[in-house]
Amino acid sequence: MELEAISGAAIVALTSTAVFLLIAKTWNLISRTVGSTPSFSDCIMHEAAQRFRDELERLSSSQATYLSGALVFVMLFFCAYFLRARDLFAGYPSWQLYLQLGFLILAAGYAAYRLASTVLARHHVKFVRDANIAIGHELQQLSAESTRVFHDVATSAGIVDHVIISQNGIYAVNVIAARSSKRAHARLEANSIRYTNGRADQSIVEIAAKTKRLQKEFRQLLGHKIRVRSVIAIPGWDIGEQADGEHLLVNEWNIAMLTGWKDSSDHLLNEDVNALHKELTARCVRA
């Protein structure tokens, strides 16, 4: 009976695939746990978009595992089918065979959903990673003897993508990765970014909170008032007019203009710069 053949082959393939995925997932988990600390970890700092690099690596591993599982299932299904796996269910009533087949369809649907979710998540993380790398590489050109750029700086309110520490001031640079079919305009209005291509406005309240928290933590460290200027970078977009003096909106081409956004009250003493460099080095070491 053809139903018996299909059910038998599918059960063999599904069971074997489940064992394969369990072994593969366990191995991936062990590899990430055992090999998570790099050699010379006290000297290796976060690179631009480090957390997105790590997430992309994890999603790529999951995607490869699911695709391998799909290939294993297909190969084992046809092998079992042609090797007469129908004998496993010979004599079973039809309703049981249909029940098993329904379960297999549900399992296959769930597996397809997980694979599709992983592929879409990986596609999104890759775009965000590339946007952060583009901004990070542009910022690296601003580095000098007393100016340093730190990436993925953790605060109690969230992670700031890039932080610049120099004698001329402190800048917290947060990246917004927004897709656009063509290079459109973006402008800053009040507490949101408005896009001209019909894309919904985007709130910057969370970015403002992270910047204020970083400023508070630096004040506590140095023991006196300082200012952390908030820079918002949107790669791939042309920047329109902005009247908000609390934030500077830039893209990957004009981000160097942040060095001109300063006044004498932002200047830091050498000992302050050294103290902040030491603090962020400790935060951004990949230990």
Coordinates of all heavy atoms in Angstrom, one line a residue, residues 13-26:
A13 N 13.0 8.6 8.2 CA 13.7 9.8 7.9 C 13.6 10.8 9.0 O 14.6 11.5 9.4 CB 13.2 10.4 6.6
L14 N 12.4 11.0 9.5 CA 12.2 12.0 10.6 C 12.9 11.7 11.9 O 13.5 12.5 12.5 CB 10.7 12.1 10.9 CG 10.3 13.2 11.9 CD1 10.7 14.6 11.4 CD2 8.8 13.1 12.2
T15 N 12.9 10.4 12.3 CA 13.6 10.0 13.5 C 15.1 10.2 13.3 O 15.7 10.8 14.2 CB 13.3 8.5 13.8 OG1 11.9 8.3 13.9 CG2 14.0 8.1 15.1
S16 N 15.6 9.8 12.2 CA 17.1 10.0 12.0 C 17.4 11.4 11.9 O 18.5 11.8 12.4 CB 17.5 9.2 10.7 OG 17.1 7.9 10.8
T17 N 16.6 12.2 11.3 CA 16.9 13.7 11.2 C 16.8 14.3 12.5 O 17.6 15.2 12.8 CB 15.9 14.3 10.2 OG1 15.9 13.7 8.9 CG2 16.2 15.8 10.1
A18 N 15.9 13.9 13.4 CA 15.8 14.5 14.7 C 17.0 14.2 15.5 O 17.6 15.1 16.2 CB 14.5 14.0 15.4
V19 N 17.5 13.0 15.4 CA 18.8 12.6 16.1 C 19.9 13.5 15.5 O 20.8 14.0 16.3 CB 19.1 11.1 15.9 CG1 20.4 10.8 16.5 CG2 18.0 10.3 16.6
F20 N 20.0 13.6 14.2 CA 21.0 14.4 13.6 C 21.0 15.9 14.1 O 22.0 16.5 14.5 CB 20.9 14.4 12.1 CG 21.7 15.4 11.4 CD1 23.1 15.2 11.1 CD2 21.2 16.6 10.9 CE1 23.8 16.1 10.5 CE2 21.9 17.6 10.2 CZ 23.3 17.3 10.0
L21 N 19.8 16.5 14.1 CA 19.7 17.9 14.6 C 20.0 18.0 16.1 O 20.7 19.0 16.5 CB 18.2 18.4 14.3 CG 17.8 18.6 12.9 CD1 16.4 19.0 12.8 CD2 18.7 19.7 12.2
L22 N 19.7 17.0 16.9 CA 20.0 17.1 18.3 C 21.5 17.1 18.5 O 22.1 17.8 19.3 CB 19.4 15.9 19.0 CG 19.6 15.8 20.5 CD1 19.1 17.0 21.3 CD2 19.0 14.5 21.1
I23 N 22.2 16.2 17.7 CA 23.6 16.1 17.8 C 24.3 17.4 17.3 O 25.2 18.0 18.0 CB 24.2 14.9 17.1 CG1 23.7 13.6 17.7 CG2 25.7 14.9 17.0 CD1 24.0 12.4 16.9
A24 N 23.8 17.9 16.2 CA 24.4 19.1 15.6 C 24.2 20.3 16.5 O 25.1 21.1 16.8 CB 23.7 19.4 14.3
K25 N 22.9 20.5 17.1 CA 22.7 21.6 18.0 C 23.5 21.5 19.3 O 24.0 22.5 19.8 CB 21.2 21.6 18.4 CG 20.3 22.2 17.3 CD 20.4 23.7 17.1 CE 19.4 24.2 16.1 NZ 19.6 25.7 16.0
T26 N 23.6 20.3 19.8 CA 24.5 20.1 21.0 C 25.9 20.5 20.7 O 26.6 21.1 21.5 CB 24.4 18.7 21.5 OG1 23.0 18.3 21.7 CG2 25.2 18.5 22.8

